[in-house]
Amino acid sequence: MQTQGIKKIVLAYSGGLDTSAIIPWLKENYGCEVVAFVANVGQDPADLAGVEEKALQSGASECHVVDLREEFISDYVYPVLQTGALYEGTYLLGTSMARPIIARAQVELALKVGADALCHGATGKGNDQVRFESTYTALAPQLKVVAPWREWDLRSREALLDYLKERNIPTTATLEKIYSRDENAWHISTEGGVLESPWNAPNKDCWVWTVDPQDAPDQPEEVSVTVEKGRIVAVNGEALSPFGCLDVLNALGAKHGVGRIDIVENRLVGMKSRGCYETPGGTIMVNALRAVEQLVLDRDSYKWREQLGLEMSYVVYDGRWFTPVRKSLQASSESLAETVNGEVVLQLYKGQVTAIRKKSQNSLYSEEFATFGEDEVYDHSHAGGFIRLYSLSSRIRALKEQK
């Protein structure tokens, strides 16, 4: 533990058990002033109620709550959506996309208040420590980093509760907490508890936002989504901000049990973890964007967009947001998205999202060419020459083998 030169630390504070204990621990072990930083990225308002008072009661000298909701969706989620990024084919990167904007705003506050160091409550087992500290390094390498979970000897929930009790610091946390959850406007994740064994099916209480698809309405519901340059700009004909679009679609998707996944993923640090993720509005958005892309992107462009998405999923998951490679991937996807304009009608029904109607002024789909009926624009005899040339290398190889 290196405490020299640290007089003021800005802590990424949530109001939960871990960060409530971190404030007095920092003061005792570093002898420094602690400034609490709270990022509003769309979590439950109940989690933010009284958070400033709670931070001050824990020993913070100040508490700053910063509203990042609109910027989070517009400048972090939407660019990733344009690339089509899905980590390991299913995860819509809800936690991963939120960390760089939180860490960036934390750095900005630290520079503003003249802090010497930054602190987070991420454990030594997870991905978030990498995401936070990679951002710190990219934006303010001169600031020191303190990671209590890699330093202190408090190893259990019981130990943290006892630590706070000994210091008469109030907390609403209890031993009964079963799951570890992360929530923002884009998603909510649930880990731990029964989910630690992949042989256990998730309980009802593993899901927070969405209705069980079996209990969802028996009648499907349709929603219209308008897309401009690969960005959702309106829902059911009403123009809204990115956060506004997501808010409306979250409510619709949750009502119909849309956006649930139960996965075992590969963490950056090498271990596997299992989680239940709910991304109702985001799942609708993804389906809408893919539907428009199917109309307007040619085969090679679509293939390239898929490759961009695969690479972007690792860049975001691994915490490499503030890097040249992320900027390059984003610039390429923005170029492809120039023509991704259109309208999609999606049907929501018992956990499923289906694009049932789509149109675009940039559509490359031609009914004249695609029809199974009689047409006057396509000469079937031309296909023979195309196939002969397309398979020429196979023909040459076969002739050589025959000799």
Side-chain angles (χ1 to χ4, degrees):
M1 185 184 299
Q2 297 181 350
T3 62
Q4 290 184 344
I6 296 180
K7 297 179 180 179
K8 184 184 289 188
I9 295 180
V10 173
L11 165 67
Y13 180 75
S14 67
L17 178 58
D18 293 8
T19 52
S20 293
I22 286 174
I23 292 176
W25 184 87
L26 287 173
K27 295 179 69 176
E28 291 172 15
N29 290 273
Y30 283 79
C32 62
E33 178 186 350
V34 180
V35 176
F37 163 75
V38 181
N40 179 0
V41 285
Q43 61 268 50
D44 188 340
D47 292 339
L48 296 174
V51 72
E52 294 177 64
E53 181 183 358
K54 188 182 295 185
L56 297 176
Q57 288 178 339
S58 296
S61 61
E62 305 171 33
C63 181
H64 299 256
V65 181
V66 182
D67 189 345
L68 302 172
R69 291 174 293 177
E70 287 287 358
E71 186 183 1
F72 171 45
I73 305 305
S74 177
D75 297 350
Y76 290 74
V77 172
Y78 270 25
V80 176
L81 271 185
Q82 280 184 331
T83 70
L86 283 173
Y87 182 67
E88 298 190 334
T90 49
Y91 173 37
L92 283 167
L93 298 162
T95 300
S96 313
M97 293 186 293
R99 294 306 182 242
I101 187 174
I102 294 171
R104 190 216 70 203
Q106 182 186 0
V107 167
E108 289 173 351
L109 176 62
L111 297 175
K112 180 179 178 181
V113 301
D116 314 294
L118 299 156
C119 180
H120 60 77
T123 72
K125 283 187 175 182
N127 302 303
D128 282 342
Q129 58 183 336
V130 181
R131 296 165 183 157
F132 275 109
E133 294 179 38
S134 294
T135 299
Y136 298 161
T137 300
L139 302 182
Q142 73 277 18
L143 297 178
K144 296 181 176 66
V145 178
V146 180
W149 273 103
R150 301 203 298 260
E151 297 181 15
W152 65 14
D153 56 3
L154 302 170
R155 295 300 180 202
S156 68
R157 193 168 184 80
E158 291 87 348
L160 290 169
L161 287 169
D162 289 341
Y163 182 84
L164 291 175
K165 185 177 180 180
E166 290 169 3
R167 288 154 181 78
N168 295 315
I169 296 174
T171 178
T172 56
T174 67
L175 287 175
E176 282 67 46
K177 179 187 176 186
I178 302 173
Y179 301 108
S180 172
R181 288 194 164 107
D182 177 72
E183 180 181 21
N184 58 51
W186 183 247
H187 91 153
I188 185 167
S189 65
T190 300
E191 296 177 327
V194 299
L195 298 176
E196 291 193 348
S197 169
W199 191 244
N200 289 335
N203 292 332
K204 288 275 188 181
D205 57 2
C206 290
W207 307 103
V208 183
W209 284 4
T210 53
V211 170
D212 188 324
Q214 296 181 47
D215 301 326
D218 292 329
Q219 294 301 316
E221 182 172 358
E222 294 183 5
V223 58
S224 168
V225 172
T226 305
V227 177
E228 290 183 5
K229 296 185 177 181
R231 298 170 69 92
I232 310 298
V233 297
V235 178
N236 288 331
E238 181 181 1
L240 298 166
S241 70
F243 176 74
C245 288
L246 178 62
D247 198 39
V248 172
L249 292 174
N250 268 338
L252 286 171
K255 172 184 172 184
H256 291 276
V258 166
R260 291 184 172 193
I261 61 169
D262 175 1
I263 62 171
V264 174
E265 71 192 62
N266 288 296
R267 286 183 179 174
L268 177 59
V269 295
M271 70 185 71
K272 290 183 181 287
S273 65
R274 192 238 187 137
C276 288
Y277 299 146
E278 298 168 84
T279 318
T283 301
I284 298 171
M285 286 184 168
V286 167
N287 279 269
L289 290 173
R290 298 297 83 81
V292 178
E293 285 179 348
Q294 288 170 10
L295 289 178
V296 305
L297 294 183
D298 60 75
R299 185 169 179 260
D300 286 337
S301 295
Y302 197 94
K303 178 184 176 183
W304 177 233
R305 202 276 302 144
E306 287 187 307
Q307 292 174 323
L308 291 173
L310 178 62
E311 186 60 36
M312 183 65 110
S313 71
Y314 284 93
V315 167
V316 175
Y317 190 87
D318 295 351
R320 292 181 283 149
W321 186 269
F322 295 100
T323 63
V325 69
R326 193 273 307 170
K327 293 178 182 178
S328 176
L329 291 168
Q330 185 172 328
S332 186
S333 65
E334 285 175 352
S335 176
L336 282 178
E338 282 292 324
T339 59
V340 181
N341 307 318
E343 182 181 354
V344 184
V345 175
L346 305 109
Q347 184 183 85
L348 314 179
Y349 182 64
K350 292 192 177 295
Q352 300 299 311
V353 185
T354 307
I356 57 175
R357 290 192 285 145
K358 49 198 167 189
K359 65 179 181 179
S360 171
Q361 64 270 35
N362 300 323
S363 176
L364 299 180
Y365 178 84
S366 170
E367 192 172 339
E368 282 186 297
F369 279 91
T371 180
F372 282 92
E374 184 178 353
D375 69 80
E376 298 178 355
V377 297
Y378 188 87
D379 189 334
H380 289 258
S381 65
H382 292 168
F386 166 75
I387 295 169
R388 188 175 182 87
L389 290 174
Y390 182 73
S391 61
L392 182 59
S393 61
S394 296
R395 178 182 298 275
I396 293 172
R397 184 180 300 108
L399 289 172
K400 284 185 173 292
E401 289 175 353
Q402 287 177 6
K403 291 181 180 179

